[in-house]
Amino acid sequence: MELDRAREDVFVAVAAALGTVAVTLAVRFGGLPDPGFLLRLAPLFVYFLYLFTRSGLPDLPYDTARNWGLAAVLVALATLGYALTL
């Protein structure tokens, strides 16, 4: 494994982990209704999708670690938005 590839993996993993923790803390201490266990883990699904598709798909110009990290953050925000509507 190349060092640059490992840095990209860590970047996406940290973004997904922070998103998951933020959703869980907002539900736990922010007074939001619980959207469900699987929805609280939704940013981690983005990370697993990143891991499993990186090696199988051809290199695309928008397939960057920054975009995957942004996707994890957006999924976390969407989960918080959904929790607000409950």
Side-chain angles (χ1 to χ4, degrees), residues 43-85:
L44 289 180
F45 294 139
V46 173
Y47 173 66
F48 289 124
L49 185 66
Y50 163 79
L51 282 181
F52 294 131
T53 60
R54 280 291 273 204
S55 60
L57 294 178
D59 290 332
L60 300 172
Y62 53 84
D63 186 22
T64 63
R66 181 183 57 92
N67 290 344
W68 282 101
L70 181 63
V73 170
L74 290 176
V75 167
L77 290 174
T79 304
L80 286 174
Y82 175 74
L84 286 172
T85 64

Side-chain angles (χ1 to χ4, degrees), residues 16 20 23 36-47 71-72 75-76 79:
T20 303
V23 170
F37 181 69
L38 289 178
L39 280 178
R40 282 188 286 154
L41 294 179
L44 289 180
F45 294 139
V46 173
Y47 173 66
V75 167
T79 304

Side-chain angles (χ1 to χ4, degrees), residues 15-35:
L18 289 177
T20 303
V21 169
V23 170
T24 302
L25 290 176
V27 167
R28 177 83 176 192
F29 299 114
L32 295 176
D34 190 5

